[in-house]
Amino acid sequence: SVTVNQFKTAKDYVAANVEVTYPDGKVWIPEGFKVADDSASTVQGGVVIEDKDGNQFVWVPVATLADYKRTWYTGDGTLSNYSEALPEDEKTSVERYKGFYIGRYEAGDKENTEAKTLRSSNDVTKTVTIKANQAPYNYVTRTQAVSLAEGFATKQGYKAKTKLVSSYAWDTTIAFLQKVNSDYGNSSEEGNYYNTTFSYTDITGASQTKGKKSEELVPTGQTTPVCNIYDMGGNVCEWTTESCSNTDYPYAVRGGSCYHNFASVPAGNRNNNSDDAYDDYGFRLTLFM
């Protein structure tokens, strides 16, 4: 393990997984990544890594496997209506490395962003990005989100594995965020909701003010981050790999969207739907070594 000060002198992408010691814990940097210039200097502040194309992830520490767990915050039904076995690859990685990475942002669409337009159709030929100021990758089904998330690592040439967020990863991330923002799971007013207002840069690059009582989808990373992670509440709801016992609506979705109220559909919210594409549904990636 190297200290963060030793590591900071080497600004290059690492050639092998390396453990870096921060003042409040240890973080593993995966092969092919570097610590981002705007990373926090503590684990709790949100250590940000990025790949050669600038896609960014934030480290979520997990002290013991028992801490990598599903938690009920709020939502439709109760936790017993939802189910997911702990994925074996996640279990192995979390146990070994004492943490995992989650996308700093909701998945974005590279080509739409470059064309300065938000997505308007279910076109999954577009390139996934994990950056600020991107058109959110909405209009995507849960099946497509799984495929896009898993294929991301291959497209980027990672040794590490990328996946769609599981219920374990989502809930463990919320618990991490709640260490500095105690009610984030149940009241995530930092997000883009119908009843929140904030200044933002729209997809064309113009400065805007999003008014209260307005339903406006905004580019990624426009709202207030918590531990360097953006938009887990608001903007678009996010598909996960969790299942629901409702046979008509068997797929779990988390967080709220720009159509929702932050107190009624917060970051910890669980809901369920059919495998369709919606304008207010997107997804987020996780990364495991």
Side-chain angles (χ1 to χ4, degrees):
S1 178
V2 295
T3 67
V4 66
N5 288 334
Q6 290 169 321
F7 189 74
K8 274 184 180 161
T9 60
K11 283 281 186 188
D12 296 333
Y13 302 96
V14 300
N17 295 348
V18 60
E19 188 181 42
V20 181
T21 302
Y22 281 79
D24 58 341
K26 295 179 190 295
V27 173
W28 280 91
I29 312 302
E31 180 179 322
F33 284 83
K34 69 173 186 179
V35 175
D37 290 342
D38 61 344
S39 171
S41 54
T42 62
V43 175
Q44 189 62 60
V47 173
V48 182
I49 59 165
E50 67 182 32
D51 69 11
K52 63 188 188 306
D53 295 321
N55 295 295
Q56 296 185 326
F57 295 85
V58 175
W59 177 256
V60 179
V62 185
T64 68
L65 192 62
D67 297 318
Y68 192 62
K69 64 177 193 271
R70 299 166 66 238
T71 304
W72 181 260
Y73 291 100
T74 183
D76 183 29
T78 64
L79 191 58
S80 62
N81 298 118
Y82 299 84
S83 63
E84 182 167 23
L86 174 56
E88 202 59 39
D89 52 358
E90 295 187 21
K91 177 181 181 227
T92 303
S93 183
V94 166
E95 264 189 316
R96 177 169 179 191
Y97 295 102
K98 306 279 191 238
F100 65 98
Y101 282 98
I102 190 163
R104 189 180 190 185
Y105 308 98
E106 296 166 334
D109 174 326
K110 180 175 186 251
E111 290 79 11
N112 271 76
T113 301
E114 288 170 352
K116 300 187 186 304
T117 178
L118 297 174
R119 283 169 61 84
S120 58
S121 70
N122 174 230
D123 180 354
V124 292
T125 66
K126 305 298 189 192
T127 307
V128 173
T129 55
I130 310 169
K131 305 180 190 179
N133 309 311
Q134 307 290 294
Y137 212 123
N138 58 346
Y139 288 106
V140 61
T141 70
R142 192 261 207 168
T143 301
Q144 290 165 341
V146 168
S147 176
L148 287 165
E150 291 179 356
F152 186 78
T154 308
K155 284 197 167 161
Q156 293 299 120
Y158 296 170
K159 265 266 180 76
K161 177 181 282 194
T162 53
K163 302 177 70 177
L164 182 64
V165 176
S166 69
S167 54
Y168 292 84
W170 188 276
D171 290 334
T172 303
T173 301
I174 296 285
F176 171 64
L177 303 180
Q178 291 200 154
K179 288 184 174 171
V180 297
N181 189 331
S182 61
D183 67 346
Y184 191 74
N186 291 300
S187 183
S188 48
E189 62 270 27
E190 297 78 8
N192 172 26
Y193 286 94
Y194 171 72
N195 60 330
T196 57
T197 181
F198 52 92
S199 299
Y200 72 98
T201 303
D202 71 19
I203 200 65
T204 72
S207 296
Q208 304 284 357
T209 298
K210 191 248 159 212
K212 277 195 175 177
K213 299 192 175 173
S214 66
E215 301 169 344
E216 296 170 39
L217 184 68
V218 303
T220 58
Q222 300 301 307
T223 59
T224 304
V226 185
C227 306
N228 260 328
I229 298 171
Y230 289 82
D231 302 321
M232 283 188 74
N235 216 33
V236 292
C237 300
E238 300 183 28
W239 289 115
T240 68
T241 52
E242 190 177 46
S243 300
C244 181
S245 56
N246 183 329
T247 49
D248 291 329
Y249 305 106
Y251 301 109
V253 66
R254 303 301 300 272
S257 79
C258 59
Y259 297 146
H260 295 120
N261 176 308
F262 70 77
S264 57
V265 193
N269 189 74
R270 258 182 181 83
N271 212 320
N272 54 299
N273 218 326
S274 54
D275 198 19
D276 293 312
Y278 306 92
D279 65 339
D280 64 334
Y281 276 35
F283 65 102
R284 189 179 300 257
L285 280 72
T286 46
L287 180 146
F288 297 90
M289 284 172 277

